[in-house]
Amino acid sequence: MKGRVVAIDTAPDGRTGAALIIDGRLEDLLIDPGDDTPQPEGIFRAQVGRKAGNTGWFVDLGEGGQGYLRENKGVSAGRRLLVQVQGSAEAGKAVPVTARLLFKSRTAIFTPGNPGLNISRQIRDEDERARLLAVAEAVVKEGGATADGE
């Protein structure tokens, strides 16, 4: 089979799943965990809550979700900011989050607010790397995104 297909279905336990199939090969599979636990790489508009010792802050992720932000620079109680889930939480602990957002694709990584254009190291063909870098530079130049966060 040639082409791209996204198949979505519900498992017997009620969880929803989606599969991306390209040219007859499974490329990606996502399955709903079935609960409201924030998933790694998820992005939330959080409100900073109370300070957690000298190392960080607890943040409210909405709908009863709690996160732990291990950053102190520019953070104060009551401030709203975008955070990204870094991993899964241990039982009884808050989900670890960061204010440094990171968007990954197969070919590039975009880090808003940080300088530089990052092409995947897995792309070893120098011509392809140069082409992708030119595309990224064109997007930044047109104002579609900024490499330095401005």
Side-chain angles (χ1 to χ4, degrees), residues 46-130:
Q47 182 163 4
V48 178
R50 64 184 174 85
K51 192 157 178 61
N54 292 328
T55 60
W57 296 82
F58 288 109
V59 296
D60 178 19
L61 301 177
E63 297 183 16
Q66 288 287 312
Y68 175 72
L69 178 66
R70 181 181 255 167
E71 295 172 31
N72 283 316
K73 258 188 179 175
V75 179
S76 59
R79 182 172 176 212
R80 291 181 103 21
L81 49 97
L82 290 177
V83 296
Q84 187 169 26
V85 177
Q86 289 185 299
S88 300
E90 296 177 26
K93 301 274 187 177
V95 175
V97 298
T98 181
R100 297 183 188 111
L101 303 183
L102 178 75
F103 299 96
K104 295 187 245 179
S105 77
R106 192 173 305 169
T107 58
I109 298 171
F110 179 63
T111 52
N114 294 324
L117 301 169
N118 305 299
I119 306 300
S120 173
R121 292 183 193 141
Q122 292 181 349
I123 299 172
R124 305 218 190 278
D125 179 8
E126 288 303 318
D127 291 336
E128 181 65 4
R129 288 184 66 80

Side-chain angles (χ1 to χ4, degrees), residues 1-9 16-30:
M1 174 184 95
K2 291 287 186 190
R4 179 182 294 238
V5 174
V6 176
I8 301 173
D9 202 354
T16 303
L20 173 62
I21 304 162
I22 299 176
D23 296 335
R25 195 177 103 212
L26 180 66
E27 283 290 322
D28 203 359
L29 177 66
L30 298 171

